[in-house]
Amino acid sequence: MRSRALRLSASVSAGLVVAAAVLSAAPASAAVGDDDPSVGPAAANGLVVNEVESNGDDTDWVELANTSTAAIDLSGYSFLDDDSSHTAYVLPAGSTIAPGGYFVIDQQSATAPGFDFGLGGADTARVYDGSGALVLRYSWTAHAAVTYGRCPDGTGPLVDTTASTKGAANDCSSPVRINEVESDGGTPGDWVELTNVGTTTVDLGGYVFKDSEDAHAYTIPAGRTVAPGGFTVLDEADFGFGLGKADSARVFDPRGQLVDSYSWTAHAATTYGRNPDGTGAFQETAEPTKGAANRFAGVVTAEAWPGGADETVLDDEATFTGDLSGIDWTTSSSSEDGQLWAVQNGDGLLYHLVPDGRGGWAPSNAAGTELHYADGSGTPDAEGVTVTADDPGAVYVSTERNNDVSSTSRPAVLRFATADGSEKTLDATDEWNLAPDFPGLGANAGLEGVTWIPDSWLTAHGFVDQHTGAAYVPSAYAGHGDGLFFVGVEGTASGYAYALMDDGSFQRVATIATPFAVVADVQFDPTLDALWVVCDDACSGRTALFDVTDGAFTATTVYEAPAKADRTLANEGFAISGVCVAGERATFYADDNDTDGFSLRTGTYPCAGDGGTPAPGDGGTPAPGDGGAPAPGGGSAPAPGEGSAPVPGDGGTPAPGDGSAPAPVPSASPAAAVAPSESSLTEANRGTLTAPATARPGETITIGVGPQHAGERVHVWMFSTPTLLGTVTVAADGTVTATIPTDAPAGLHRIVVTATDGTVIGWTEITIDPATGELAFTGADLTGGIAAALLLLAAGAGVLVLRRRRAARP
């Protein structure tokens, strides 16, 4: 990560001079790529950042709005994310935004121009005028569940919206939705189920439920809540009237505005429910599911994760620098716990990980192995990784593009000859560029995951070759080795099976539709005789199991994320151990955002009982270098590195975790935070922090602790009654973020930061403004805006600082 400077104003006059510069003319030296954290998401001429999509739409985009009464000419304006090394996108001549209108700065696609980089989970949108002056700037620290948008539209703070409204007024409505209706004498009586499609719990107190008659009205009492993705049921015994054969269900918010409604002309044989829950159209359900997810004939319904409730950190802080994306577990001759391979996409690194003997895992090649294309050039955007039973001594990596030419799609599978990742650099021995199969695929929408399935398994399970329309016959693809490669493509949200021939040619054998908006990884699991398909935070961490049914891979089970897991983690990589210990197998997750400085986490999945490591080809994928199976394509010539390269740990020195080491266990929890005493807040440690002078309940603020504390874990508190806002890691620029409680009382408070041993690092005062009721139902104000920046400048306390962001993805 690049370090960020904490800029402090020296005096009131200096602050006002800087503020005037932000709101008026830029200095002559201004240039596109220059940064100024004091610039906010609103300009003096009425141009504002109105909505941001950074995760899950067809493209990333930023919507501008014009709140003035005159048109604004945007010709020659430039757009960048937080990485100034990216090529700025220059808006073409004739780009204008009408009074009260909207203008979308879109990501490049196959049919339209735009910026050629993606917007990350922690990123910044920067807009420069024709002279190169920075005029708009908006930062966020995590993807919005939907989008970040102004509520009220055009003028309010940027919050998590209820629905994406690209190029139109923002949806700041309540996230409460009618999800299921029983109108024909349920158990007991009629009932209506409500759900919450937002990201924060909604208090339903004061909401009103009606049927088709206004006189039939039921006001929900205070204290009745519905959690994000949760359900609550209004029974006939509550609302006091029945629902008819032809009737309506209507829900109004406390202001009397209609939130949602559904009408029907006949009783359902079962119930009427949304498919999918909360967002889809109503149809008859397969069965009533009062207070639970709806079920429909032929539709797989997500169910609770059957394993452990937590995802526990495995790596030491700052082991990785962010962008860890793909991961694969394989057996090892040196450790009963196996080994892991992982790839990092931004800088094209390959990691070989082994148990560290303390319950965690660590790379045996600490700096990672730099990957390049066959001619030694380029930086492959490494997204997925797998090893195969028919090619020991090799690792296969799936990519989206060459990061050195980041605007061009290059969805490819690359082969690298290595047994343990001990090489400093590796050039690909083979490349299968699948671009001809994906015309128009975005440069940031390619191959996210890759796995390998043996031909013997596919034929035994009746797999059908969609290319020929008949049963899969391996001999039809000469030189493809002993199995097929399955890839997950982000831009199509689908999986694909390929025969990769030893001459560089390929043939698509199957296309696999998925229930997800994004495919982040794919993983063959011979223990379950199934294929895992994985979504990241775009689907709140859901995963799915696919079996071969009637010749095709079909989703049989969809799982929610573990109950206590953070569903906002960008878990782009997933792997599962083949070793069963005490009725559990370890699962592994690679977090692309390096949240809180950690990229590798583990969970558990149930298994039948204790068992040894499966033999190569009998389930678990063998370690590269184990065995002597021929390379893909058969023949007598061994694959590069085959046979002669020893497996890590072979010989006299055992690998970490070898022998009697137990299976990975969660690291010990840190000691509970202890609130500092009132007497410890002295004038000596006052003012060593910087924070906004004011904030609103629910707002996320940035606090300057100081670069000297970068990498330290700290507790953030709010007084007068000590309230822990969070335990976080100080970013490289010396900042942390914290969210003001939604029930924080108005008035003067203190923000206090302490070390983990309770020592006060510093404190400062902050005024909590009264809640105005203008926030969207689904989230909190995520930016102080230019007004807060000017207040800080005028007070001589400093300007807003950048939030920590993961390493930029080209």
Side-chain angles (χ1 to χ4, degrees):
M1 291 184 177
R2 303 176 303 283
S3 62
R4 322 250 191 196
L6 181 63
R7 304 179 181 181
L8 300 178
S9 57
S11 64
V12 171
S13 58
L16 292 175
V17 168
V18 176
V22 172
L23 294 176
S24 58
S29 61
V32 173
D34 289 349
D35 201 21
D36 184 351
S38 69
V39 174
N45 63 352
L47 188 67
V48 302
V49 175
N50 196 55
E51 191 174 7
V52 174
E53 167 60 76
S54 64
N55 184 42
D57 246 3
D58 292 336
T59 57
D60 294 340
W61 47 266
V62 173
E63 176 190 88
L64 306 182
N66 182 359
T67 61
S68 74
T69 58
I72 300 175
D73 185 4
L74 301 176
S75 302
Y77 275 51
S78 300
F79 175 74
L80 270 176
D81 62 353
D82 78 341
D83 188 346
S84 297
S85 69
H86 288 162
T87 300
Y89 172 61
V90 180
L91 276 59
S95 299
T96 60
I97 181 169
Y102 305 95
F103 186 95
V104 175
I105 303 176
D106 213 338
Q107 191 177 26
Q108 184 182 67
S109 69
T111 58
F115 54 91
D116 62 0
F117 45 83
L119 300 179
D123 211 336
T124 299
R126 297 184 290 171
V127 177
Y128 299 81
D129 66 16
S131 71
L134 180 63
V135 293
L136 294 175
R137 186 180 188 281
Y138 174 62
S139 294
W140 58 96
T141 57
H143 289 307
V146 184
T147 63
Y148 290 124
R150 289 186 179 272
C151 291
D153 186 70
T155 59
L158 283 143
V159 299
D160 205 328
T161 62
T162 300
S164 175
T165 56
K166 186 177 184 179
N170 293 338
D171 184 351
C172 303
S173 63
S174 167
V176 176
R177 296 289 183 268
I178 297 169
N179 196 57
E180 190 176 4
V181 175
E182 169 60 83
S183 64
D184 194 18
T187 307
D190 297 338
W191 48 267
V192 172
E193 177 188 86
L194 306 181
T195 190
N196 177 359
V197 298
T199 58
T200 59
T201 298
V202 174
D203 186 343
L204 295 173
Y207 278 67
V208 177
F209 169 68
K210 298 180 180 181
D211 63 2
S212 59
E213 299 181 38
D214 287 338
H216 290 170
Y218 168 64
T219 301
I220 301 175
R224 186 77 171 270
T225 62
V226 58
F231 307 98
T232 190
V233 175
L234 306 180
D235 281 302
E236 185 176 342
D238 296 323
F239 48 79
F241 48 85
L243 301 176
K245 180 178 180 180
D247 209 340
S248 298
R250 298 179 292 163
V251 176
F252 299 82
D253 68 18
R255 298 168 294 182
Q257 295 182 349
L258 180 66
V259 170
D260 197 18
S261 66
Y262 175 64
S263 299
W264 58 94
T265 58
H267 290 308
T270 52
T271 60
Y272 291 114
R274 287 190 183 274
N275 181 21
D277 288 282
T279 59
F282 279 92
Q283 64 185 76
E284 287 200 15
T285 62
E287 59 181 310
T289 54
K290 186 177 183 180
N294 294 337
R295 293 187 177 275
F296 300 90
V299 176
V300 179
T301 303
E303 57 189 69
W305 178 255
D310 292 306
E311 291 175 11
T312 306
V313 168
L314 279 179
D315 56 329
D316 289 335
E317 190 171 359
T319 299
F320 305 97
T321 59
D323 290 342
L324 197 70
S325 183
I327 192 167
D328 190 34
W329 179 92
T330 178
T331 60
S332 169
S333 61
S334 59
S335 172
E336 62 184 15
D337 297 322
Q339 59 186 325
L340 293 169
W341 290 94
V343 287
Q344 195 160 280
N345 58 59
D347 42 15
L349 294 179
L350 172 70
Y351 289 99
H352 174 254
L353 299 105
V354 294
D356 63 8
R358 298 179 288 110
W361 288 65
S364 63
N365 55 342
T369 300
E370 292 183 13
L371 303 180
H372 300 287
Y373 291 94
D375 61 0
S377 70
T379 306
D381 186 68
E383 299 283 355
V385 61
T386 193
V387 294
T388 72
D390 66 352
D391 191 10
V395 172
Y396 291 81
V397 174
S398 60
T399 71
E400 291 187 325
R401 63 188 172 275
N402 176 1
N403 284 335
D404 294 354
V405 191
S406 61
S407 62
T408 301
S409 177
R410 190 171 175 176
V413 176
L414 303 174
R415 179 187 183 276
F416 297 93
T418 183
D420 57 6
S422 59
E423 300 84 356
K424 182 178 180 180
T425 63
L426 281 172
D427 297 339
T429 62
D430 300 90
E431 176 180 4
W432 294 270
N433 188 342
L434 307 181
D437 251 16
F438 298 99
L441 186 67
N444 197 36
L447 309 189
E448 281 287 327
V450 61
T451 193
W452 182 86
I453 303 181
D455 285 339
S456 57
W457 188 94
L458 293 168
T459 54
H461 287 78
F463 178 61
V464 169
D465 184 341
Q466 295 176 7
H467 174 60
T468 64
Y472 171 57
V473 179
S475 60
Y477 303 105
H480 82 285
D482 295 332
L484 299 181
F485 287 84
F486 287 66
V487 298
V489 178
E490 179 179 3
T492 65
S494 299
Y496 304 87
Y498 279 95
L500 304 182
M501 271 63 81
D502 54 10
D503 61 359
S505 63
F506 60 86
Q507 177 60 56
R508 184 190 296 184
V509 177
T511 300
I512 304 169
T514 79
F516 300 138
V518 170
V519 174
D521 206 353
V522 288
Q523 189 72 229
F524 177 54
D525 189 341
T527 301
L528 296 178
D529 274 334
L531 173 71
W532 289 93
V533 175
V534 179
C535 189
D536 55 16
D537 51 323
C539 310
S540 299
R542 286 182 171 180
T543 54
L545 283 172
F546 282 66
D547 293 341
V548 175
T549 303
D550 296 327
F553 278 90
T554 306
T556 57
T557 308
V558 176
Y559 289 127
E560 299 286 1
K564 294 182 181 180
D566 182 352
R567 300 188 179 197
T568 66
L569 293 176
N571 286 337
E572 291 192 1
F574 172 83
I576 185 166
S577 170
V579 179
C580 184
V581 177
E584 294 179 335
R585 289 193 291 153
T587 55
F588 303 93
Y589 305 87
D591 175 12
D592 183 66
N593 274 351
D594 196 43
T595 304
D596 296 328
F598 303 101
S599 292
L600 188 63
R601 292 173 175 82
T602 186
T604 61
Y605 187 86
C607 52
D610 289 351
T613 302
D618 294 340
T621 306
D626 284 354
S636 58
E642 180 180 342
S644 60
V647 176
D650 280 355
T653 304
D658 196 16
S660 59
V665 295
S667 302
S669 300
V674 177
S677 64
E678 193 83 17
S679 61
S680 66
L681 308 184
T682 66
E683 286 300 314
N685 53 36
R686 178 180 182 176
T688 56
L689 303 182
T690 60
T694 62
R696 298 167 64 189
E699 181 177 349
T700 299
I701 62 171
T702 300
I703 303 162
V705 182
Q708 69 272 25
H709 297 289
E712 297 178 12
R713 295 287 283 177
V714 297
H715 304 305
V716 183
W717 304 85
M718 190 173 80
F719 278 59
S720 52
T721 302
T723 302
L724 181 64
L725 303 186
T727 300
V728 295
T729 301
V730 181
D733 61 357
T735 65
V736 296
T737 57
T739 300
I740 304 299
T742 56
D743 59 354
L748 188 65
H749 295 261
R750 283 169 289 181
I751 296 295
V752 185
V753 175
T754 64
T756 52
D757 63 1
T759 303
V760 174
I761 294 175
W763 65 279
T764 189
E765 291 182 337
I766 188 171
T767 298
I768 304 301
D769 292 334
T772 64
E774 294 180 353
L775 290 177
F777 285 88
T778 53
D781 182 3
L782 296 179
T783 177
I786 198 165
L790 294 178
L791 285 171
L792 286 168
L793 287 162
V799 298
L800 290 177
V801 296
L802 279 166
R803 294 185 175 97
R804 184 169 72 93
R805 186 202 192 277
R806 66 186 174 100
R809 289 182 60 182

